[in-house]
Amino acid sequence: MNHSSITPRRRGRLRLLLGALCAAVLAVTGTVVAAPHAFAEADRYLSSNTTGTHNGYYFSFWKDSGSASMTLRENGRYTSSWDRSTNNWVGGKGWATGTRRTVSYSGTYNPGNNNTYLALYGWTRNPLIEYYVVENFGSYNPSSGAQRLGTVTTDGGTYDILRSQRVNAPCIDGNNCTFYQYWSVRQQKRSSGTITTANHFDAWARAGLNLGTHSYQIMATEGYQSSGSSDITVWEGGGTPTTGPTSPGGNCTAVLSAGERWGDRFNLNVAVSGTNNWVVTLNLNGGQWIQNSWNASVSGTSGTITATPNGNGNNFGITIMANGNWTWPTVSCRTA
């Protein structure tokens, strides 16, 4: 198939906003809430080409013709729909600057028997690279139109690693660019899950596919001469957005944010506000256990653990041995 069906002719029209977004956090105000942001901008309907920020996330929307549209909703959620009057469109939410972050997403994706993708999508410069981590797709599999360079197994599935090249094509820096495209195409399609981007970047590097300085990185829906719809929420880190009952004890707030991550464990930072006399409860997931903690008195090593002040202020951290489970714990906070 012509590469124009793999990579739409859209690149030169996208313009990212400069500036870094804050790291995704898990905000809890007496309530167990695993949504990464707590912004409250109104929904925003898009039907013409634009980029910007909405509810704490970078977004981009582009189409070359037709009736494709996207609605920006709460937190990292967006919905989209398009029909065959659209030659090509792409849009999604994410971050103005890509990195080796862990990206989670959930929702519905309806590709039909069409040429369309659901993918983590981004660009780098020096070298100029366009990359896709394709999680789901319609009738056309990009692995049938590019050079296969191996596989990588991560996040519960196996991905085909591929490379293709565009010559005198639009890109983020103009309309006549020559650049490589890097692909990870998931063999087991899904519309919700976690993408450990570092595993893809490292697998590409082992295949000789090196990235440069990151531009934007979004969880994108894309359609080419097709019809379909999607309803996708994206956030940084593991886990699934959930809500739970209010914990007693006043206005204590605990905020989780990502720390360092290794092959078998990860750090979480916990910031407490609203009181200096607090009890934070974390419910670890199956197989996980606490290897280390700092700046708090932590009781327990697996299952439900509690943390209280030890004289080192209201910010503390923990190291969780993942045992194959990278989902963040749920957390609640109460006044002691």
Side-chain angles (χ1 to χ4, degrees), residues 44-50 59-72 79 81 86 88-90:
R44 183 176 173 186
Y45 176 82
L46 305 176
S47 60
S48 58
N49 299 348
T50 187
F59 69 86
S60 67
F61 175 86
W62 181 92
K63 67 178 181 181
D64 57 8
S65 63
S67 61
S69 64
M70 183 171 77
T71 300
L72 307 175
T79 57
S81 64
T86 306
N88 177 224
W89 91 278
V90 62

Side-chain angles (χ1 to χ4, degrees), residues 172-185:
I172 56 174
D173 291 329
N175 291 317
N176 296 290
C177 305
T178 296
F179 55 90
Y180 282 111
Q181 303 163 306
Y182 299 167
W183 301 82
S184 284
V185 181

Side-chain angles (χ1 to χ4, degrees), residues 9 21 46 57 146 171 226 243 246 275 308 333:
R9 297 179 291 273
L21 295 176
L46 305 176
Y57 287 83
C171 74
S226 63
T243 59
T246 300
T275 179
T308 55
C333 182

Side-chain angles (χ1 to χ4, degrees), residues 101-103 105 120 133 135 155 190 194-197 200 219:
R101 61 172 50 88
T102 298
V103 176
Y105 70 99
L120 185 69
V133 179
E135 296 287 282
D155 300 314
R190 62 178 183 173
T194 297
I195 302 170
T196 306
T197 59
H200 295 276
M219 195 69 202

Side-chain angles (χ1 to χ4, degrees), residues 78-305:
Y78 70 91
T79 57
S80 72
S81 64
W82 68 101
D83 61 30
R84 290 188 178 277
S85 69
T86 306
N87 180 61
N88 177 224
W89 91 278
V90 62
K93 275 187 169 183
W95 299 271
T97 304
T99 189
R100 296 165 64 90
R101 61 172 50 88
T102 298
V103 176
S104 292
Y105 70 99
S106 65
T108 57
Y109 166 69
N110 303 301
N113 188 27
N114 293 306
N115 187 354
T116 169
Y117 311 130
L118 176 66
L120 185 69
Y121 170 74
W123 285 86
T124 71
R125 292 183 172 93
N126 298 316
L128 182 64
I129 301 294
E130 179 185 45
Y131 66 84
Y132 289 85
V133 179
V134 179
E135 296 287 282
N136 206 337
F137 53 89
S139 58
Y140 179 70
N141 184 334
S143 66
S144 63
Q147 179 188 9
R148 181 184 169 94
L149 296 172
T151 63
V152 59
T153 299
T154 180
D155 300 314
T158 299
Y159 295 75
D160 294 312
I161 298 172
L162 308 116
R163 184 181 71 169
S164 53
Q165 188 178 40
R166 298 279 285 160
V167 177
N168 295 327
C171 74
I172 56 174
D173 291 329
N175 291 317
N176 296 290
C177 305
T178 296
F179 55 90
Y180 282 111
Q181 303 163 306
Y182 299 167
W183 301 82
S184 284
V185 181
R186 188 177 176 91
Q187 296 176 359
Q188 304 84 13
K189 296 179 182 180
R190 62 178 183 173
S191 299
S192 298
T194 297
I195 302 170
T196 306
T197 59
N199 292 346
H200 295 276
F201 295 170
D202 291 345
W204 294 345
R206 289 192 295 270
L209 311 182
N210 296 309
L211 295 169
T213 302
H214 282 273
S215 182
Y216 64 86
Q217 183 180 71
I218 62 174
M219 195 69 202
T221 303
E222 180 172 325
Y224 181 81
Q225 297 181 355
S226 63
S227 62
S229 64
S230 69
D231 185 342
I232 299 297
T233 300
V234 64
W235 68 98
E236 186 169 4
T240 302
T242 59
T243 59
T246 300
S247 302
N251 295 319
C252 183
T253 299
V255 176
L256 291 183
S257 62
E260 291 185 86
R261 175 168 169 164
W262 299 268
D264 59 350
R265 65 198 186 279
F266 61 99
N267 286 350
L268 289 179
N269 304 307
V270 187
V272 182
S273 60
T275 179
N276 294 321
N277 190 21
W278 42 266
V279 178
V280 170
T281 300
L282 297 117
N283 296 298
L284 301 186
N285 298 284
Q288 296 176 339
W289 55 277
I290 299 295
Q291 181 200 46
N292 190 26
S293 63
W294 55 95
N295 294 340
S297 297
V298 175
S299 176
T301 58
S302 62
T304 299
I305 68 170

Side-chain angles (χ1 to χ4, degrees), residues 1-9 88 115 166 222 224:
M1 180 174 291
N2 191 300
H3 282 319
S4 64
S5 64
I6 298 175
T7 304
R9 297 179 291 273
N88 177 224
N115 187 354
R166 298 279 285 160
E222 180 172 325
Y224 181 81

